[in-house]
Amino acid sequence: MQTNQFLALFCGTLLVLGLIAFFAARAKAARARASGTSMHAQPDQYGWFGVLSTAAPALAVSLVGSVAMLLVGAKISTAMLLVVSVAVACLGLVGSIAMVRPGFHARRAVEAFVRFMLAGATLISILTTLGILVSIINEAVRFFQMQSFWGFITGTVWNPGASFLTAAGRAEEGASAAQFGSLPLFAGTFMITAIAMLVAIPMGLLSAIYMAEFANSRVRSIAKPILEVLAGIPTVVYGFFAAITVAPLIVVAAQWLGLKADFNNALAPGIVMGIMIIPFISSLADDVIHSVPDSMRQGALALGLTHGETIRDVVVPAALPGIVSASLLAVSRALGETMIVVMAAGMLPNLTANPLENMTTVTVRIVAALTGDQEFASAETLSAFALGLVLFVVTLMLNLVSVIMIRRFREKYRVNNL
């Protein structure tokens, strides 16, 4: 039996058995209530308990069998797995109907199952994060066995020219010495991200304040959807806009000011990336500002503050934790952007403080390292995992700092209110 046939038969059979369990359990509970018996739950809750008792064991059996076949290599036929799963579902159906009686709390059982599923989803998210981290660390350790960790962190030249290894694990003869200094990559990443934030945070926050505090309902209903359209534009379109329109304008403006600017510069992708990120900050900040109670605004106005002073001294401080969270989301979005940088900033690692020069970012080099024709065991390929690990740590540290700032602000705000 093919996989598609197995899935179709399994899902169809489980759907039929679930419907039978729902209506049968609900009908039995309704009959008991009609006869004057006091039940601890509604008939529909007994019906949902029947569905869960039928579907959950069958899904668990099929999942265990599939994992055993794929990972362990167990010799289990799909037909046998289907038969066993359906048999378990039938047993669950019969058992759930038998459980419909006055002393059984179906609502508690359903709620316990829902809590278990929510905890399982949380655990899966945590394990996925740990799995990503472990996979990155494993390959990064292999890279640092070939290259110096300190040289990787503090090096100022990125030139993986001799990273191809022979079967003995040594660099090929005649190749130039490879250099894996990551400072130019992270300098470009942080510079472009900083430029993007200088554009996105003021524009996004001011637009959110306008739509939440000044715009009427008609203007808001028109302006907010148009602004959020920016979030749906593909990044490759932004890349074209940065490379074809913004970069030449920057070159012309720099020449007019007596400066020299490359056509592939860091300023163009930074500006366009900031424009792309404006909807993220604006939409989230708008929702946060709207969540500030109107009683705080009315109290400030009653004390004699103007509308602008109320926004500055009351509304924005109350919404600051959410604004910081929105800004952090924007920073994470900017740190992971690749396409705009490739098209507008180029791929040349360059350690410079001049945003008018050619620069590149960590994510661009990761893509370049993993999409080339070099061997996976080469230092150039493994350097992608080292870069990813450092970027992961940097992002984690930013999140920790933001959490500390939000907690301190909340404590200060709470003390001031007391």
Side-chain angles (χ1 to χ4, degrees):
M1 183 184 299
Q2 296 181 355
T3 303
N4 294 336
Q5 295 176 343
F6 169 78
L7 291 176
L9 288 174
F10 177 74
C11 294
T13 305
L14 205 60
L15 178 62
V16 173
L17 293 177
L19 290 174
I20 293 174
F22 178 81
F23 289 109
R26 188 179 68 170
K28 183 177 179 181
R31 288 194 302 268
R33 294 189 64 180
S35 64
T37 304
S38 177
M39 306 293 287
H40 289 286
Q42 298 294 327
D44 285 347
Q45 294 171 341
Y46 285 99
W48 285 114
F49 173 76
V51 173
L52 296 177
S53 300
T54 302
L59 290 173
V61 170
S62 62
L63 180 61
V64 171
S66 301
V67 171
M69 288 189 294
L70 294 176
L71 300 182
V72 183
K75 302 296 182 181
I76 303 175
S77 64
T78 54
M80 179 60 67
L81 184 59
L82 177 63
V83 171
V84 173
S85 300
V86 171
V88 171
C90 292
L91 292 176
L93 189 154
V94 175
S96 64
I97 296 176
M99 292 292 292
V100 179
R101 56 179 184 269
F104 177 66
H105 296 266
R107 179 178 59 83
R108 295 181 182 177
V110 173
E111 291 177 351
F113 180 82
V114 172
R115 287 195 298 269
F116 174 78
M117 293 299 296
L118 294 176
T122 304
L123 182 61
I124 290 175
S125 301
I126 296 174
L127 292 178
T128 301
T129 304
L130 292 177
I132 293 172
L133 182 60
V134 169
S135 63
I136 293 176
I137 290 176
N138 287 337
E139 303 302 331
V141 168
R142 294 177 58 188
F143 171 77
F144 290 125
Q145 290 175 348
M146 304 176 186
Q147 302 292 330
S148 169
F149 174 78
W150 184 250
F152 175 80
I153 296 297
T154 61
T156 59
V157 178
W158 183 272
N159 181 24
S163 60
F164 295 95
L165 300 181
T166 63
R170 300 177 179 177
E172 296 178 356
E173 295 183 1
S176 59
Q179 295 175 289
F180 292 93
S182 61
L183 279 182
L185 304 181
F186 284 100
T189 300
F190 294 143
M191 177 172 288
I192 293 177
T193 300
I195 295 172
M197 291 303 100
L198 289 175
V199 174
I201 292 178
M203 296 292 293
L205 181 57
L206 293 176
S207 62
I209 292 174
Y210 170 75
M211 288 189 293
E213 299 293 331
F214 295 100
N216 56 42
S217 58
R218 182 176 181 180
V219 173
R220 176 182 170 84
S221 64
I222 297 174
K224 188 171 182 179
I226 294 176
L227 184 62
E228 291 178 349
V229 167
L230 294 174
I233 298 177
T235 56
V236 65
V237 177
Y238 282 109
F240 279 124
F241 176 66
I244 297 176
T245 303
V246 178
L249 289 177
I250 291 175
V251 173
V252 173
Q255 291 176 351
W256 184 73
L257 295 174
L259 301 175
K260 180 181 179 181
D262 298 332
F263 279 94
N264 290 330
N265 56 74
L267 187 58
I271 294 174
V272 175
M273 194 184 301
I275 296 173
M276 179 187 68
I277 293 172
I278 287 175
F280 291 92
I281 298 178
S282 176
S283 180
L284 294 175
D286 182 29
D287 295 337
V288 172
I289 292 173
H290 265 288
S291 66
V292 176
D294 287 335
S295 59
M296 298 181 66
R297 299 179 176 87
Q298 295 170 3
L301 294 174
L303 292 174
L305 273 69
T306 64
H307 193 184
E309 292 172 341
T310 301
I311 295 173
R312 184 191 63 191
D313 299 330
V314 177
V315 176
V316 173
L320 188 59
I323 294 173
V324 172
S325 300
S327 301
L328 287 175
L329 178 62
V331 171
S332 300
R333 181 73 176 83
L335 288 174
E337 179 54 42
T338 304
M339 185 59 66
I340 297 176
V341 180
V342 171
M343 300 180 68
M347 301 181 66
L348 177 64
N350 184 18
L351 182 59
T352 178
N354 185 3
L356 300 178
E357 294 184 7
N358 191 338
M359 302 183 74
T360 192
T361 61
V362 172
T363 54
V364 173
R365 293 309 308 174
I366 290 175
V367 172
L370 294 177
T371 56
D373 57 356
Q374 62 273 8
E375 296 181 1
F376 186 82
S378 66
E380 182 176 0
T381 302
L382 296 178
S383 66
F385 297 94
L387 292 172
L389 178 61
V390 177
L391 189 61
F392 180 88
V393 173
V394 170
T395 306
L396 179 62
M397 295 302 296
L398 289 175
N399 291 333
L400 290 177
V401 171
S402 67
V403 170
I404 295 173
M405 291 176 59
I406 291 173
R407 287 182 177 178
R408 288 184 177 179
F409 172 79
R410 286 178 176 174
E411 292 176 357
K412 179 180 178 181
Y413 190 69
R414 188 182 299 113
V415 170
N416 290 337
N417 284 340
L418 293 178

